[in-house]
Amino acid sequence: MNQTVKMPCTPDFHQQALPLLEKIAANLPGMIFQFLQQQDGSQFVLYASSGCREIFELESEVVQADFQILHKLIHPQDAIAFEESVRYSASTLTPWQWSGRIITPSGKLKWIQGASRPERQAKGDILWDGLLMDITDRKQAESKLLESEARYKAILDAIPDLMFRISRDGEYLDFKGDGALKAIPPENIIGNNLRDLLPDDVANNSLDAIAKTLESQTLQSLEYQLSTHEGMRNYEARLVVSGQDEVLALVRDITERKQAEIELENLAEKFSKAFRCSPNPITISTLEDGRFIEVNDSFVELSGYEREEAIGRTAFELNIWVNQSDRQKLLDGLHSKGAVRNLEFEFRKKSGELGFGTVSAEIVDFNGERYILSVNHDITEPKRTEAQLQLTSQRDRLLRETLARIRTSLNLDQILQTTVNEVRQFLQADRVFIGLNDGNFEGRILAESVDPKYSSVIGCKIKDPVVMQEMKRLLTTNCVRLVEDIEQIDVSPKLKAHYQQFQTRATLAVPIMLNGEFFGALIANQCSHPRHWHQMEIDLLKQMSEQLAIAIQQAQLYQELAALNTNLEQQVEERTAQLQQKMQELQEINRVKDVLLHTVSHDMRTSVMGNLMVLENLLKTRGVGNG
């Protein structure tokens, strides 16, 4: 379509018609216009009423100045149809009619309908006087109506049910079924009465339901059976008021549903029996908040909660979950995989006793709601057995290593310190120490291992004879001192003050006996909370106290031997000194003797020589005389 902004000279007829058009426009909705197409194809809007502003959001002067602005507002998908409609009207001089969409400058989508009658002018131009109206609301209503009709038709076509219009007295007025009837041929329905077509009991029940529907103006339902060529079939009829003294009956074959219900009831009965009789605890809880809606007898037996106590409450409210993270692991697995298998968790019974279990769970749908079906298995005993074996192994290792140290080491302080360190680690206690009865009813600490959060007892001395006497009596009387909660026992004020001083909440102590006499004690304290002491822990401390007694005796023997060795060395040194002194004395005697002998020998030699000389002289004298 050729468009130009060149305005033609206003013809006389336009000037004459303008007052009349303005008067008409003031009383009509929409926009009155005059549109001119010249012989050369140029097109102009000669006149546009004030409705131009309401429809196009443009002033009439703007449209009159440039028709192209108006043309640009037409929806691209409707522009061709608009041009063809104008071209056809101009070529045939038939009335122009068009409806289509425009997009206003503000972005609104509107439906516009136009109508006008063309009139050829003396110069060959064509003039249209017409009316444009905004039909957006009507179009939207028509669109919704069409959508509604299409939706209802689709619903009706999709409904597999038979539909009957039935009068109050039971006459069939109309039906929809497309030959779906199995009990009654379609040609025998309309105009007949249900008394003539249905068994007496079904007909009477149907008439009662029709009367009740009309009287109460509410939906009524009815189930019945009919014999067909396929055998006995089950039907359900739902009745609603469809007019004065008539109802609309929707009849559905529910044979398969009935069979499914029977099978479901049988399955439900089997499930119910399995649910009730299962040796494993089974629960059904809501997915959203874990609220129990059903539990079996095994759950009641294991948890200690009666069914009435559990239903309607969550596992958190019952304080069953020991670790909240276990519940979160369960939910994460269900949301990601839809099922969880053999997830281990720790649980708490109503009595407060802790246990271990595994849970296998799935998300199931009941009546459109999502629930968690959980099957639990109690593994407390196997877990305890496993833990017992581990503890036994650790205990045996600790005893072996302690015995080996005792046999190979004579350093008592080192043995005692290592012992308290490893015993505390084994027991996971807050404090372990070895106390010594130091005589005169005084006590001192030989070795200690303690959590840094609590006070140390090393270096402390118990000088109160009353406290020491009571401790000795308690230990020697029972061979073990076991307290799970200090606040729940009756002891002397002084002993209680002693416990409070060192923040003791639970204690386990065994005596250390030497040769049947009380020597001291091996003591474990729990400071953070009360504690239940297991038999294995008691046995460990007893055996450790026996090993400590051996170590102490060995150390004492070593000390005695060392003392004896020291005495012997002193005696040997003294004897050696005495011998050395005797030797010196003997040497002196020998020297004196030698001197004496030499003197005597000299003296004797001198005397003999004198005598010999005298004799010799005598002899000589006698010879001379004889001669």
Side-chain angles (χ1 to χ4, degrees), residues 599-619:
T599 303
V600 172
S601 175
H602 180 271
D603 291 341
M604 288 182 68
R605 276 199 311 269
T606 303
S607 175
V608 171
M609 289 300 295
N611 291 329
L612 288 176
M613 290 179 63
V614 171
L615 289 176
E616 184 178 356
N617 290 326
L618 287 175
L619 290 176

Side-chain angles (χ1 to χ4, degrees), residues 334-550:
L334 290 173
H335 287 308
S336 62
K337 300 179 181 178
V340 171
R341 295 288 180 267
N342 297 322
L343 173 67
E344 287 195 13
F345 68 101
E346 190 174 6
F347 64 89
R348 183 183 293 103
K349 298 182 181 181
K350 182 179 179 181
S351 63
E353 181 184 355
L354 300 182
F356 293 91
T358 60
V359 57
S360 298
E362 291 187 7
I363 298 177
V364 295
D365 291 329
F366 293 143
N367 299 323
E369 298 291 335
R370 304 181 78 194
Y371 297 92
I372 302 175
L373 174 64
S374 301
V375 180
N376 301 279
H377 181 59
D378 183 14
I379 60 170
T380 303
E381 288 305 320
K383 272 285 187 182
R384 286 177 177 171
T385 301
E386 180 182 353
Q388 189 80 5
L389 290 174
Q390 291 180 351
L391 289 174
T392 301
S393 176
Q394 294 178 13
R395 182 197 64 186
D396 293 344
R397 176 193 58 79
L398 184 58
L399 290 172
R400 287 196 305 269
E401 292 178 355
T402 302
L403 183 59
R405 284 195 302 271
I406 291 172
R407 290 176 176 174
T408 58
S409 175
L410 295 175
N411 189 331
L412 181 60
D413 292 338
Q414 181 181 357
I415 293 173
L416 297 181
Q417 188 59 51
T418 304
T419 299
V420 294
N421 290 341
E422 296 194 4
V423 170
R424 188 170 82 87
Q425 181 180 358
F426 178 83
L427 297 180
Q428 292 297 297
D430 294 326
R431 181 191 295 115
V432 174
F433 64 95
I434 297 172
L436 170 65
N437 179 20
D438 211 14
N440 299 322
F441 297 108
E442 290 186 1
R444 62 184 178 89
I445 308 305
L446 298 180
E448 177 196 36
S449 176
V450 63
D451 189 305
K453 294 185 295 185
Y454 302 102
S455 303
S456 172
V457 298
I458 199 73
C460 296
K461 290 187 177 182
I462 304 175
K463 298 183 178 181
D464 192 327
V466 176
V467 174
M468 286 299 301
Q469 183 66 24
E470 184 173 0
M471 287 184 175
K472 179 179 179 181
R473 177 183 60 81
L474 292 172
L475 286 170
T476 55
T477 301
N478 302 315
C479 296
V480 63
R481 171 65 170 164
L482 185 151
V483 180
E484 297 184 345
D485 188 353
I486 296 298
E487 297 179 358
Q488 303 299 320
I489 63 171
D490 185 19
V491 294
S492 68
K494 289 187 176 182
L495 185 55
K496 193 167 188 177
H498 173 76
Y499 288 141
Q500 292 175 349
Q501 178 184 358
F502 297 106
Q503 303 167 280
T504 304
R505 289 296 307 275
T507 184
L508 174 62
V510 294
I512 300 174
M513 307 296 291
L514 292 182
N515 301 320
E517 295 295 329
F518 178 75
F519 177 80
L522 174 60
I523 303 172
N525 288 341
Q526 196 69 33
C527 302
S528 55
H529 52 75
R531 172 169 178 166
H532 171 70
W533 301 101
H534 297 283
Q535 186 60 46
M536 175 176 289
E537 297 169 337
I538 299 171
D539 293 341
L540 172 68
L541 254 67
K542 286 182 177 180
Q543 292 173 333
M544 291 302 296
S545 71
E546 294 174 358
Q547 300 302 323
L548 289 173
I550 295 173

Side-chain angles (χ1 to χ4, degrees), residues 525-582:
N525 288 341
Q526 196 69 33
C527 302
S528 55
H529 52 75
R531 172 169 178 166
H532 171 70
W533 301 101
H534 297 283
Q535 186 60 46
M536 175 176 289
E537 297 169 337
I538 299 171
D539 293 341
L540 172 68
L541 254 67
K542 286 182 177 180
Q543 292 173 333
M544 291 302 296
S545 71
E546 294 174 358
Q547 300 302 323
L548 289 173
I550 295 173
I552 293 169
Q553 286 179 329
Q554 181 173 288
Q556 288 179 343
L557 290 175
Y558 174 75
Q559 291 175 354
E560 292 177 0
L561 180 60
L564 290 175
N565 287 338
T566 301
N567 292 334
L568 182 59
E569 289 176 356
Q570 291 178 352
Q571 292 178 4
V572 169
E573 290 177 356
E574 291 176 356
R575 294 288 183 175
T576 302
Q578 292 177 357
L579 289 175
Q580 289 177 349
Q581 183 178 358
K582 294 297 183 181

Side-chain angles (χ1 to χ4, degrees), residues 255-273 365-367:
T255 305
E256 285 75 15
R257 192 191 79 186
K258 279 290 186 181
Q259 292 175 349
E261 287 177 354
I262 294 173
E263 293 175 358
L264 186 60
E265 287 177 0
N266 293 335
L267 182 62
E269 180 64 24
K270 293 179 181 178
F271 173 78
S272 178
K273 289 181 179 178
D365 291 329
F366 293 143
N367 299 323

